[in-house]
């Protein structure tokens, strides 16, 4: 483009050189002739010089203007022929020059277009190359990323494989453990069945034991009810005991007086009577003495069965046909009956007064034959009553002088007041009763205490002045109640077939 412009400028300069004078003059005239060249979108306009106003000759102003042909024709007379020829030559030269210029411009334009096209192609190629390179770089990036991903996947795969291996190993271990567990479970099941059998056995045994325990429980209930009754009695006795303390003291004084009187009587007896001849004989029992013709009450000498040993006993030869060997007698409370086992075994007191003949002798006598027992009672109002047992027997000392009696009758209660058959003898130092307590210590004296039973003729001797009964007093329950006061008691035995 710049070259084309350069060429145009050169052409303009040439025109100016050709007709400067007329050119200046032509400016002032708008009707001056023009020449237009069209080349594609570009158009070139050339102004042609005016020769008419020029006074100088054509030779003086040599102008090379090829456009003269196109200029308006001037009157031929003003132009000399020579000059015209010159102008024509110049015009031809200019025309040639312009043609050259035109072709040159065309060539240049072509080159320019080719260059532009080349440039565009280059730009395009560059852009494509850039796009290609960017695509390449993107591809490389993608490839790199893919490689990374592949590496990660490979790592993961190897990790998973390792885990799989570990898992299979642990599975093997677990299988082994499972096997062991199964074996142990089998063993345990065997043990369990064995234990179950044992438990069943134990259950049956327990059931039996339970039955036994239930029976014992029932017995215990019976005992408990008895105990409750006794406890009630005891409470009553305790309440009265304190109230009667003063009374006891008075009784002691009166007793002392009685003892003095008795001492006087004994001394009188010693002075009066030596023992009768008949009484010096030895009998098996009072029944034998009676049958030998001795019918007087008194103290007789009796021999132990199958022995040379003797003892002395009071014989009642009057009551109910006589022949009774007195084994217990109380009448005034002069004798202490709260004695030991040994004392009850051998006997104590005086045969003519208050007396206990002795368990040993009673046992021997009642086991070598069949004997009856009669219990004679009198209260402070002189009421009398008796209890009779057709059959009476005492076991040995080894068997705690157990009581055996049957065929009860009498007036001292419709029910027997003795403890049930089989009851053992107890003293303050020998507890053989059926009570958790010690009846012999609570009720005092030696007796066949059950738990503790409805009778005790060896309890404390309470005189008439005592207002209420006491649990530890002499007692024959089914005659007139547990607290009815007794004045005299006699227990005596006789052969059943007397
Ligand atoms: Ca006891």
């Amino acid at each position: 483009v710049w070259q084309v412009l350069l060429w145009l400028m050169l052409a303009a300069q040439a025109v100016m050189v050709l007709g400067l004078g007329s050119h200046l003059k032509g400016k002032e005239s708008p009707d001056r002739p023009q020449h237009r060249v069209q080349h594609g979108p570009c158009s070139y306009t050339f102004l042609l010089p005016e020769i008419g106003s020029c006074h100088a000759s054509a030779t003086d102003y040599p102008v090379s203007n090829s456009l003269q042909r196109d200029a308006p024709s001037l009157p031929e007379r003003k132009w000399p022929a020579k000059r015209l020829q010159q102008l024509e030559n110049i015009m031809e030269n200019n025309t040639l020059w312009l043609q050259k210029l035109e072709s040159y411009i065309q060539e240049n334009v072509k080159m320019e277009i080719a260059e532009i096209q080349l440039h565009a192609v280059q730009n395009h190629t560059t852009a494509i190359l850039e796009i290609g390179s960017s695509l390449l770089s993107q591809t490389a990036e993608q490839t790199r990323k893919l490689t990374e991903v592949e590496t990660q996947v490979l790592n993961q795969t190897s990790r998973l494989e390792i885990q799989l291996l570990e898992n299979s190993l642990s599975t093997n271990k677990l299988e082994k453990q499972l096997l062991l567990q199964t074996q142990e479970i089998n063993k345990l099941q065997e043990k369990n069945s064995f234990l179950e059998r044992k438990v069943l056995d134990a259950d049956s045994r327990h059931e039996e034991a339970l039955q036994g325990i239930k029976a014992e429980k029932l017995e215990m209930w019976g005992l408990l009810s008895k105990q409750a009754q006794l406890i009630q009695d005891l409470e009553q006795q305790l309440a009265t005991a304190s109230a009667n303390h003063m009374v006891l003291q008075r009784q002691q004084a009166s007793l002392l007086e009685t003892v003095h009187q008795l001492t006087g009587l004994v001394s009188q007896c010693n002075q009066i009577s030596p023992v009768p001849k008949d009484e010096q004989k030895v009998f098996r029992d009072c029944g034998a003495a009676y049958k030998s013709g001795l019918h007087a009450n008194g103290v007789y000498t009796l021999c132990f069965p199958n022995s040379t040993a003797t003892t002395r006993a009071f014989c009642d030869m009057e009551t109910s046909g006589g022949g009774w060997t007195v084994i217990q007698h109380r009448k005034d409370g002069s004798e202490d009956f709260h004695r030991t086992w040994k004392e009850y075994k051998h006997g104590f007191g005086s045969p003519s007064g208050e007396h206990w003949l002795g368990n040993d002798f009673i046992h021997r006598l009642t086991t070598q034959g069949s004997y009856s027992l009669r219990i004679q009672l009198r209260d402070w109002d002189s009421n009398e009553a008796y209890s009779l047992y057709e059959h009476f027997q005492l076991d040995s000392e080894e068997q705690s002088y157990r009581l055996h009696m049957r065929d009860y009758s009498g007036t001292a209660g419709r029910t027997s007041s003795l403890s049930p058959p089989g009851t053992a003898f107890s003293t303050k130092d020998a507890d053989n009763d059926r009570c958790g307590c010690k009846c012999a210590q609570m009720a005092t004296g030696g007796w066949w205490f059950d738990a503790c039973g409805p009778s005790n003729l060896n309890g404390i001797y309470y005189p008439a002045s005592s207002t209420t009964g006491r649990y530890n007093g002499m007692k024959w329950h089914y005659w007139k109640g547990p607290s009815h006061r007794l004045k005299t008691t006699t227990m005596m035995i006789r052969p059943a077939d007397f």
Side-chain angles (χ1 to χ4, degrees):
V1 174
W2 281 110
Q3 282 176 329
V4 171
L5 284 174
L6 192 66
W7 281 109
L8 285 172
M9 281 175 74
L10 282 170
Q13 202 173 13
V15 169
M16 281 173 73
V17 170
L18 195 63
L20 190 58
S22 59
H23 174 71
L24 291 170
K25 217 173 185 177
K27 264 188 178 177
E28 290 160 8
S29 156
D31 300 326
R32 287 177 65 181
Q34 293 177 346
H35 181 74
R36 184 177 294 261
V37 176
Q38 186 73 35
H39 180 80
C42 302
S43 64
Y44 306 94
T45 306
F46 298 94
L47 296 175
L48 297 176
E50 280 179 55
I51 300 173
S53 59
C54 189
H55 298 290
S57 66
T59 52
D60 294 339
Y61 304 97
V63 184
S64 58
N65 191 353
S66 60
L67 298 179
Q68 195 174 356
R69 288 177 300 189
D70 302 324
S73 59
L74 295 170
E76 277 192 10
R77 51 176 173 100
K78 287 180 181 177
W79 295 89
K82 198 184 172 184
R83 178 69 178 163
L84 205 66
Q85 192 68 41
Q86 280 178 338
L87 276 174
E88 274 179 1
N89 288 341
I90 289 164
M91 282 300 288
E92 276 174 6
N93 285 339
N94 279 337
T95 306
L96 282 172
W97 187 79
L98 275 172
Q99 280 173 348
K100 275 182 187 173
L101 185 63
E102 194 180 348
S103 67
Y104 186 79
I105 286 165
Q106 281 177 350
E107 204 172 312
N108 267 319
V109 166
K110 274 180 192 168
M111 280 175 70
E112 197 78 11
I113 287 163
E115 212 168 293
I116 287 163
Q117 280 177 346
L118 191 68
H119 199 68
V121 167
Q122 275 176 350
N123 284 342
H124 196 62
T125 310
T126 312
I128 285 165
L129 279 171
E130 278 173 6
I131 289 164
S133 63
S134 76
L135 274 170
L136 274 172
S137 61
Q138 277 178 8
T139 309
E141 182 71 17
Q142 291 289 340
T143 310
R144 194 180 57 76
K145 280 181 184 174
L146 272 171
T147 313
E148 278 177 11
V149 168
E150 198 182 344
T151 314
Q152 284 176 2
V153 167
L154 275 170
N155 286 339
Q156 289 285 349
T157 311
S158 59
R159 252 183 254 149
L160 282 170
E161 277 174 359
I162 289 162
Q163 281 186 354
L164 205 66
L165 233 144
E166 284 173 355
N167 281 336
S168 66
L169 282 173
S170 61
T171 307
N172 284 338
K173 276 185 196 169
L174 282 169
E175 276 175 357
K176 280 178 190 169
Q177 284 182 353
L178 201 66
L179 249 159
L180 286 172
Q181 292 288 339
T182 312
Q183 284 170 359
E184 279 194 14
I185 283 166
N186 285 335
K187 281 181 193 169
L188 282 171
Q189 278 176 345
E190 282 169 19
K191 277 187 186 174
N192 192 29
S193 57
F194 177 71
L195 283 171
E196 274 178 356
R197 283 197 297 277
K198 274 199 166 182
V199 164
L200 280 170
D201 291 348
D203 274 352
S204 58
R205 283 201 297 274
H206 282 158
E207 189 63 31
E208 284 169 19
L210 203 66
Q211 293 296 335
I213 285 165
K214 276 179 182 171
E216 279 182 23
K217 189 184 164 188
L218 281 171
E219 277 182 30
M220 285 302 293
W221 273 112
L223 282 173
L224 272 172
S225 57
K226 280 183 188 173
Q227 289 291 331
Q229 181 62 40
L230 282 171
I231 284 164
Q232 278 184 353
D233 290 349
L234 270 171
E235 280 173 354
Q236 281 181 353
Q237 298 300 332
L238 279 170
T240 53
S242 55
N244 290 317
H245 184 66
M246 291 300 290
V247 180
L248 262 174
Q249 283 180 337
R250 283 200 297 273
Q251 294 304 323
Q252 270 185 336
S254 73
L255 277 170
L256 276 172
E257 203 176 317
T258 317
V259 166
H260 283 300
Q261 288 171 359
L262 279 167
T263 314
L265 279 168
V266 166
S267 61
Q268 280 176 10
C269 285
N270 285 340
Q271 285 170 5
I272 295 164
S273 62
V275 180
K277 268 192 176 177
D278 290 340
E279 290 186 17
Q280 288 182 341
K281 288 181 182 175
V282 178
F283 299 99
R284 188 186 58 183
D285 55 25
C286 294
Y290 188 91
K291 288 194 168 173
S292 72
L294 299 172
H295 298 159
N297 288 343
V299 176
Y300 292 78
T301 301
L302 308 179
C303 64
F304 277 75
N306 308 319
S307 169
T308 53
T310 59
T311 186
R312 287 169 64 76
F314 189 89
C315 290
D316 183 336
M317 302 302 197
E318 293 173 357
T319 304
S320 182
W324 296 102
T325 306
V326 175
I327 60 171
Q328 189 261 19
H329 185 56
R330 303 189 77 175
K331 60 180 182 181
D332 50 21
S334 58
E335 197 67 55
D336 177 17
F337 272 71
H338 199 41
R339 303 283 191 132
T340 62
W341 181 265
K342 198 175 176 182
E343 287 171 305
Y344 270 96
K345 177 185 177 181
H346 297 298
F348 56 87
S350 165
S352 57
E354 296 203 318
H355 189 224
W356 182 260
L357 183 57
N359 288 337
D360 202 29
F361 183 82
I362 300 167
H363 156 65
R364 289 183 189 223
L365 198 62
T366 57
T367 48
Q368 55 89 40
S370 182
Y371 275 80
S372 300
L373 168 68
R374 185 183 176 95
I375 291 164
Q376 200 74 35
L377 305 170
R378 184 189 291 159
D379 65 12
W380 290 94
D381 299 321
S382 298
N383 299 308
E384 289 200 22
Y386 75 95
S387 290
L388 180 68
Y389 301 86
E390 294 292 343
H391 295 280
F392 167 75
Q393 188 187 319
L394 275 198
D395 281 344
S396 65
E397 184 181 16
E398 289 72 33
Q399 291 173 299
S400 306
Y401 300 121
R402 286 183 193 283
L403 178 68
H404 297 284
M405 76 292 181
R406 56 186 165 87
D407 301 332
Y408 170 78
S409 64
T411 55
R414 285 185 292 174
T415 310
S416 165
S417 291
L418 272 182
S419 295
T423 304
F425 198 82
S426 291
T427 57
K428 63 183 176 185
D429 56 346
D431 178 23
N432 299 316
D433 57 39
R434 293 193 183 112
C435 177
C437 64
K438 292 182 175 177
C439 296
Q441 288 187 3
M442 284 163 51
T444 76
W447 195 250
W448 299 276
F449 293 109
D450 186 27
C452 293
S455 63
N456 176 19
L457 297 183
N458 292 338
I460 286 174
Y461 186 93
Y462 285 109
S465 50
S466 64
T467 50
T468 54
R470 293 154 189 81
Y471 183 72
N472 56 1
M474 293 159 66
K475 182 167 69 175
W476 197 255
H477 181 94
Y478 292 110
W479 183 28
K480 290 187 175 182
S483 54
H484 186 64
R485 285 158 292 119
L486 304 173
K487 188 183 179 187
T488 63
T489 66
T490 308
M491 296 171 70
M492 45 199 188
I493 56 174
R494 182 174 75 176
D497 55 355
F498 184 78

